[in-house]
Amino acid sequence: MSAGEEFAVLRAAGVSLVLDLVGQVPQVLHWGEDLGELGPEGVGALRETGVTARVANSPETPRALTLLPVERDAWSGLPGIEGHRGGTATTPRPELVDASVEVPDGGVGGVVRLDLREPVADLALAAEVELEATGVLRVRWTVTAGEGTGDVYDLSHVTALLPLPARAVEVLDFSGRWSRERQPQRLPLVDGAHVREVRRGKPGVDSPYLLAAGTPGFGNRSGEVWAAHVAWSGDQRWIAQRLHEGAGAHAAVLGGGELLRSGEVRLAAGESYAAPDVLFAWSDAGLDGIADRFHRRTRARRPRTGPQPLVLNTWEAVYFDHDLARLGELVDRAARIGVERIVLDDGWFRGRRDDTAGLGDWQVESAVWPDGLDPFVKRVRAAGMEFGLWFEPEMISLDSDLAREHPEWLLAPSAGVGTSFRNQYVLDVAHPGAYAYLLDAISAVVERHGVDYIKWDHNRDLLEAVVRDGAGDRPGVRRQTLALYALLDELRERHPALEIESCAAGGGRVDLGILDHADRVWASDCNDPVERQQIQRWTELLLPPELLGSHVGAARSHTTNRVTDLSFRLVTSAFAAPGIEWDITGCTEDEMVRLSEWAAFVTSRRSLLHGGVRVHADLADEQTLLHGTVAEDRTHALFAWVRLASSAGPQVARVPFPGLDRDRDYVVRVPDAFGATAVHGREPAWMERARSAEGFRVPGAVLASAGVTLPVLQPASGLVLELTAA
């Protein structure tokens, strides 16, 4: 389809997007279930049937919800764009100038590019609306200032908004805290605005993460769901808004964008602002359908050249006690288990004996490492493992040579640095001198030791994140975020084999913006498997499990003090990107054997665990979980049956297994690699056959529809079941 057409119909993966290109600003006539091949007559019918009847005390012209809703269109909700020129030009009236539609060969997906003129403030607006092959819809806006009145254009926001139908009546998003990230919260969608704002300089441990609206009671496997994600690693705004009068056939909007501070974006003539991508997904198969679209998108954009290595991280093993002999024993024991990568965490650099000093001085501490890191790295390499290292480049300690030499590099008001978090402050990464220092200092260490992997941490919020210049303090979060992206990209360009994990006080910077520049994320600082089960479940609503670092910790959790069985810790880590964060020099021989058997099992099943389709059963008992990974061809699956706590109601019932082929038989086995599971009473009789070498053969229809009885587990327990098509 070429420019000048009156409509655009894009289709991919069971999704249709229909845009009306006639009018001042294009309208979304439909976003959701595939409507098939729609020609001019079909689109015309869709257009006409979406115009609402005029009711009393309403505009003479029917309201129409455009891609950039403004007051001119009788839209009284959040406008798509706000700003001003010296306090004037505050009522934008955008007009479509040109539209082009590109559909690839094969007709799957496509891109609509829109150019608009906004005469009131003299702006050029451009939108890119892409329906990707996965069915994910990407929207990006760009704003460019014209000559105007001579004043700069102060942009308040530009927000990507898409319509919701009246049947979307419930909203789901997330909150949380340190070590308890991504906790779901569900509420009705009522008249008014559900707005979440992020003002932490990063998404934060209480990030909205994914904003979903759906039909009544939508669940893991059921209901229609529309979802939005702001793919940006700085301040954000998210919104679901319903007006009592609606607009056209639509009752509400869903979307978001970057949250800009006052004066953060001031456009002189010819200057542009590019908004971050906002990603939208629709599913008629509940939340698992949404997750599957995002997983496929991420895997297609960032295909791995090899498997995710099994990691041992030293933090909860030794903390700041960097002793070569002790660390060497960790390496030797890790090699016995089958670990493939050792990560030396915080404490290796100059002045860093605790968390009060040293951040910014990215040179090896000679007092602790008199021969440098070479002896340790050599031992890691000799054991056949990769070497990783912890950095926190965006932070700085006042007690550091860097802060003493360059106090002007702090991202803080001229009036003072304010409060610290974990005894640290923020380095202005966008300052040319600071940026060059970080790039060279990190590169020197990476090159010197052949570092394969960086754990890139970010332990505090950005409060009063302003840049000091001659004209006064100016907002600096956007500038900092873009500088971070550039620094990550340049490091990866210098060191193409380098892998970088985004860690931010645990899971405080988990978004699809950072994953355009990093390779994986650390989902949480909490290795307690009871907490981790829920953290991982909701993190994987957006990200595939192979990108979620998850470690087996000590029996007594570092963060919660809870004691759990090794079996449950192994089960929990297996369904993400597994690793170990535990002083295994103190492990018994039985524990070492168990870890070795587990490592062999999870590494031999990586192609399934890190390439299959994630599924989650809808269960009435919220203290139980049944989740799994099913191969694309549905011939192989691994499931985890989990009990978090005791239940008030009945604990015995048939449980269906989602995602299986009803027309196949499956052999069900219980792998030995995870050890004994704590069971309440006796297991169902069929489990004895499943524990045998032959396994237990069950028709797929029985497993998928009728379900089977499962053991009643003790609290904080998990059981793995492996299913193979007969």
Side-chain angles (χ1 to χ4, degrees):
M1 191 179 298
S2 60
E5 295 285 355
E6 295 185 350
F7 61 87
V9 178
L10 304 181
R11 303 170 62 207
V15 177
S16 280
L17 173 71
V18 184
L19 288 177
D20 187 350
L21 303 180
V22 175
Q24 292 169 312
V25 178
Q27 298 178 49
V28 177
L29 297 178
H30 174 80
W31 165 50
E33 183 178 3
D34 190 358
L35 300 181
E37 292 285 353
L38 283 182
E41 290 186 1
V43 174
L46 191 63
R47 180 190 293 129
E48 290 187 42
T49 55
V51 179
T52 55
R54 181 174 176 269
V55 298
N57 195 30
S58 64
E60 306 300 332
T61 303
R63 291 182 175 89
L65 181 59
T66 73
L67 271 175
L68 196 70
V70 293
E71 290 184 26
R72 175 199 58 194
D73 309 315
W75 173 251
S76 57
L78 179 74
I81 183 170
E82 281 188 300
H84 64 90
R85 285 187 183 270
T88 68
T90 60
T91 55
R93 301 172 69 86
E95 302 169 351
L96 183 63
V97 174
D98 190 26
S100 65
V101 183
E102 297 176 12
V103 177
D105 293 341
V108 178
V111 183
V112 180
R113 292 184 174 86
L114 306 170
D115 292 314
L116 301 96
R117 171 178 174 267
E118 201 294 287
V120 176
D122 189 16
L123 304 174
L125 308 172
E128 193 170 86
V129 182
E130 179 181 11
L131 183 63
E132 300 176 348
T134 58
V136 172
L137 184 62
R138 180 182 64 85
V139 179
R140 177 187 294 172
W141 281 98
T142 303
V143 180
T144 303
E147 293 299 330
T149 62
D151 292 324
V152 298
Y153 181 74
D154 282 288
L155 180 66
S156 299
H157 73 90
V158 57
T159 302
L161 299 168
L162 287 183
L164 291 172
R167 61 187 181 277
V169 296
E170 293 183 10
V171 172
L172 171 72
D173 67 2
F174 298 87
S175 187
R177 57 173 172 78
W178 178 76
S179 284
R180 206 167 188 271
E181 296 88 342
R182 282 167 294 289
Q183 298 300 303
Q185 50 187 22
R186 189 185 283 242
L187 62 156
L189 178 59
V190 297
D191 288 354
H194 173 70
V195 179
R196 297 288 305 280
E197 291 189 346
V198 171
R199 295 176 177 267
R200 300 182 181 276
K202 61 180 179 180
V205 292
D206 60 342
S207 167
Y209 193 59
L210 189 78
L211 178 56
T215 51
F218 68 88
N220 293 327
R221 308 287 298 175
S222 63
E224 222 179 340
V225 184
W226 296 259
H229 173 74
V230 180
W232 177 246
S233 308
D235 290 343
Q236 306 164 338
R237 177 183 286 118
W238 309 63
I239 183 168
Q241 184 171 25
R242 190 176 79 181
L243 303 182
H244 74 274
E245 68 267 31
H250 306 297
V253 293
L254 176 76
E258 182 181 6
L259 186 149
L260 298 175
R261 307 299 181 101
S262 297
E264 190 158 17
V265 174
R266 311 191 75 215
L267 301 176
E271 292 182 338
S272 296
Y273 163 81
D277 288 345
V278 181
L279 304 171
F280 297 87
W282 168 85
S283 164
D284 61 355
L287 294 169
D288 275 0
I290 294 290
D292 189 52
R293 294 195 189 280
F294 280 116
H295 291 186
R296 292 178 188 276
R297 179 184 192 271
T298 297
R299 286 168 173 166
R301 287 170 63 87
R302 300 298 299 273
R304 290 190 60 83
T305 56
Q308 281 279 7
L310 183 66
V311 172
L312 184 141
N313 184 280
T314 65
W315 177 243
E316 290 187 18
V318 302
Y319 299 103
F320 289 107
D321 184 14
H322 284 201
D323 174 77
L324 181 58
R326 184 181 180 191
L327 286 167
E329 188 178 353
L330 268 178
V331 170
D332 295 344
R333 288 204 155 213
R336 279 183 55 194
I337 291 168
V339 168
E340 297 161 318
R341 173 186 287 161
I342 298 287
V343 179
L344 184 63
D345 211 286
D346 194 359
W348 60 269
F349 49 95
R350 199 167 70 235
R352 191 67 165 177
R353 304 296 2 107
D354 54 32
D355 66 1
T356 64
L359 284 175
D361 295 342
W362 302 113
Q363 296 81 33
V364 177
E365 174 56 82
S366 58
V368 177
W369 298 93
D371 298 314
L373 296 179
D374 293 334
F376 180 66
V377 176
K378 183 177 180 181
R379 194 157 177 175
V380 171
R381 301 284 187 210
M385 292 182 282
E386 295 181 2
F387 175 62
L389 201 56
W390 182 94
F391 284 88
E392 194 171 3
E394 299 153 86
M395 300 296 137
I396 187 169
S397 304
L398 295 187
D399 185 3
S400 67
D401 291 342
L402 188 67
R404 285 184 283 270
E405 293 170 10
H406 292 287
E408 75 278 9
W409 288 0
L410 269 69
L411 189 64
S414 53
V417 294
T419 186
S420 65
F421 283 48
R422 203 188 179 206
N423 304 296
Q424 64 191 48
Y425 295 88
V426 183
L427 185 69
D428 182 3
V429 178
H431 188 290
Y435 182 98
Y437 164 76
L438 288 176
L439 180 61
D440 290 342
I442 297 169
S443 288
V445 176
V446 170
E447 188 170 342
R448 174 71 180 83
H449 300 291
V451 175
D452 300 291
Y453 169 93
I454 289 178
K455 179 180 177 181
W456 187 291
D457 216 338
H458 183 287
N459 274 300
R460 66 158 290 166
D461 294 344
L462 273 58
L463 303 178
E464 295 188 306
V466 296
V467 181
R468 311 172 199 178
D469 63 26
D473 296 348
R474 297 198 178 280
V477 170
R478 174 175 174 76
R479 180 175 174 267
Q480 181 86 346
T481 306
L482 293 173
L484 164 67
Y485 287 168
L487 180 59
L488 293 171
D489 290 347
E490 197 161 354
L491 279 168
R492 290 158 59 90
E493 186 177 342
R494 286 191 180 188
H495 312 283
L498 180 66
E499 185 174 344
I500 299 175
E501 177 186 75
S502 171
C503 173
R509 188 158 61 194
V510 179
D511 64 271
L512 292 177
I514 199 68
L515 278 172
D516 279 339
H517 310 276
D519 299 279
R520 54 182 269 177
V521 301
W522 179 233
S524 176
D525 281 341
C526 184
N527 288 323
D528 179 339
V530 176
E531 303 292 340
R532 264 281 179 165
Q533 281 285 333
Q534 292 285 30
I535 292 168
Q536 288 174 196
R537 186 271 168 275
W538 294 114
T539 305
E540 70 181 33
L541 183 56
L542 184 65
L543 302 185
E546 64 268 24
L547 302 190
L548 310 180
S550 177
H551 296 171
V552 177
R556 184 176 296 279
S557 169
H558 163 85
T559 54
T560 66
N561 209 39
R562 182 188 279 123
V563 176
T564 53
D565 289 345
L566 176 57
S567 174
F568 190 35
R569 283 141 49 211
L570 296 175
V571 168
T572 301
S573 178
F575 285 84
I580 300 168
E581 195 164 338
W582 180 14
D583 185 3
I584 56 174
T585 64
C587 284
T588 65
E589 187 58 30
D590 179 67
E591 288 172 329
M592 288 293 293
V593 170
R594 182 77 56 77
L595 285 167
S596 299
E597 292 176 349
W598 165 80
F601 183 87
V602 295
T603 54
S604 68
R605 269 73 169 178
R606 267 188 296 219
S607 60
L608 170 63
L609 289 166
H610 295 170
V613 178
R614 289 292 289 153
V615 296
H616 302 81
D618 284 305
L619 304 176
D621 182 358
E622 63 182 15
Q623 299 304 331
T624 58
L625 303 172
L626 179 70
H627 61 84
T629 303
V630 181
E632 286 281 356
D633 62 5
R634 297 191 287 181
T635 60
H636 192 192
L638 284 168
F639 282 88
W641 169 239
V642 171
R643 174 166 290 283
L644 301 175
S646 59
S647 304
Q651 300 183 69
V652 180
R654 286 184 178 271
V655 179
F657 282 59
L660 300 178
D661 186 344
R662 289 172 42 87
D663 297 326
R664 281 191 168 107
D665 285 2
Y666 290 89
V667 177
V668 183
R669 294 183 176 87
V670 179
D672 294 331
F674 298 89
T677 301
V679 176
H680 179 80
R682 286 187 176 180
E683 293 181 336
W686 72 267
M687 287 288 296
E688 184 176 350
R689 293 174 63 185
R691 291 185 181 278
S692 70
E694 296 77 19
F696 181 49
R697 183 166 177 154
V698 187
V702 171
L703 287 165
S705 297
V708 297
T709 55
L710 291 170
V712 178
L713 303 182
Q714 296 285 13
S717 296
L719 172 73
V720 172
L721 297 165
E722 185 167 20
L723 282 63
T724 308

